Amino acid sequence: KAGVTQTPRYLIKTRGQQVTLSCSPISGHRSVSWYQQTPGQGLQFLFEYFSETQRNKGNFPGRFSGRQFSNSRSEMNVSTLELGDSALYLCASSLGQGYSYEQYFGPGTRLTVT
Amino acid sequence: DAKTTQPTSMDCAEGRAANLPCNHSTISGNEYVYWYRQIHSQGPQYIIHGLKNNETNEMASLIITEDRKSSTLILPHATLRDTAVYYCIVRVGVFQGAQKLVFGQGTRLTINP
C-alpha cells in the first residue's frame, strides 16, 4: 500500500506571498492531520480533517487554513507568509475512527520564507 | 492529556537492546501510551502503543508498569538505522476522537558502532 505523499517537497517563497501544500493520504484513510515542525517549537499540531470537516484545530493564526476533498486528499494554505513560517510541514493520515491514534506521516514539505 | 517526561538523550551500542524510559505519572485510566520516532528530516514513524498490557510488534516492545506511571520502549537489537528522536505520547482513547498528537521534545537516541 502506498504511503502518505506530500507535494511539493521543497518550496521557497517571499514574505507576503501565499502557499498551498498538498497531501495524499493512505488509501482508505479518512483523517488527515497537519503539523508544523521548527527547531524552536518542535512538532506542533495545526489541524485535522475527517470526512471533509475540520475536526480539531491547533493554536495557529487564521492565516493557516486547510481543506479536505471527497477523496480524502487535503491541502493547507498559508497566506501572507512571514519569516517565522519557515518550517517543515508534515501531513499524517489515519483511519480516523476507532480508539487508535496510529498516524502515518508523509515526508513533509520544507518551506523557506525569505 | 497527561504530560510525559523523557531523558533528553541516550546512547546505545549497536546490537544491544536499547531501553527508552518514559514517565507519565499523571496518566489516567483511559489514556494510551504511544511511541513514535523521527529519523533526521523525515516524518515521524509510528512504533507501538499500549493501554496497560505489555505489547510487542516487529519493531519493538512496550513495557508498561503495573501502576501505569511509567513505560519503557525496548528495541531488542539496535542498529545504526535506529538512531532517531523517540517520542512518548499519552493520549485519551476516544472512539471517533480528533487525531491530535502532542509531541514533547523526545529522547535523542544515538546507536554507536
Side-chain angles (χ1 to χ4, degrees):
Chain A
K1 198 182 263 193
V4 177
T5 58
Q6 293 187 245
T7 56
R9 293 292 313 278
Y10 302 91
L11 205 49
I12 300 175
K13 289 286 188 179
T14 305
R15 266 182 305 176
Q17 288 186 315
Q18 75 162 12
V19 66
T20 299
L21 311 181
S22 180
C23 173
S24 292
I26 292 171
S27 177
H29 284 189
R30 294 167 62 191
S31 166
V32 173
S33 301
W34 288 89
Y35 294 81
Q36 180 197 65
Q37 185 171 29
T38 60
Q41 300 298 317
L43 269 159
Q44 292 186 288
F45 173 80
L46 278 157
F47 31 66
E48 184 223 358
Y49 286 86
F50 178 75
S51 292
E52 301 179 66
T53 300
Q54 187 180 84
R55 188 157 67 171
N56 200 358
K57 189 176 188 306
N59 189 25
F60 278 82
R63 299 185 297 105
F64 292 82
S65 63
R67 60 177 176 169
Q68 187 180 34
F69 303 96
S70 58
N71 61 358
S72 294
R73 192 177 69 83
S74 176
E75 289 181 347
M76 69 162 281
N77 184 278
V78 188
S79 62
T80 320
L81 284 165
E82 300 177 0
L83 294 179
D85 297 333
S86 294
L88 180 65
Y89 289 89
L90 292 155
C91 155
S93 81
S94 66
L95 289 171
Q97 55 188 17
Y99 291 98
S100 173
Y101 294 97
E102 292 176 50
Q103 291 190 28
Y104 297 88
F105 285 79
T109 294
R110 185 162 296 281
L111 172 65
T112 302
V113 181
T114 61
Chain B
D1 299 324
K3 181 177 165 54
T4 62
T5 304
Q6 299 178 252
T8 303
S9 63
M10 292 182 64
D11 287 275
C12 179
E14 188 178 19
R16 304 294 294 267
N19 296 281
L20 291 91
C22 179
N23 183 289
H24 31 80
S25 58
T26 61
I27 193 170
S28 58
N30 60 351
E31 288 185 304
Y32 290 74
V33 180
Y34 285 81
W35 284 85
Y36 282 76
R37 73 180 181 183
Q38 187 174 25
I39 296 169
H40 183 61
S41 295
Q42 297 181 21
Q45 178 188 25
Y46 165 79
I47 301 173
I48 199 167
H49 75 279
L51 183 60
K52 50 186 166 182
N53 298 322
N54 297 337
E55 302 287 344
T56 296
N57 63 20
E58 64 279 4
M59 288 183 67
S61 294
L62 173 61
I63 309 297
I64 302 175
T65 58
E66 195 168 336
D67 64 8
R68 303 207 326 120
K69 293 185 177 182
S70 65
S71 61
T72 301
L73 178 74
I74 301 172
L75 308 178
H77 304 287
T79 71
L80 298 178
R81 288 180 294 180
D82 292 322
T83 292
V85 177
Y86 287 76
Y87 297 97
C88 169
I89 299 166
V90 170
R91 190 77 175 94
V92 172
V94 178
F95 182 71
Q96 203 158 351
Q99 303 287 300
K100 174 182 176 180
L101 292 174
V102 179
F103 289 84
Q105 296 305 306
T107 296
R108 184 171 297 279
L109 174 67
T110 302
I111 306 300
N112 300 306

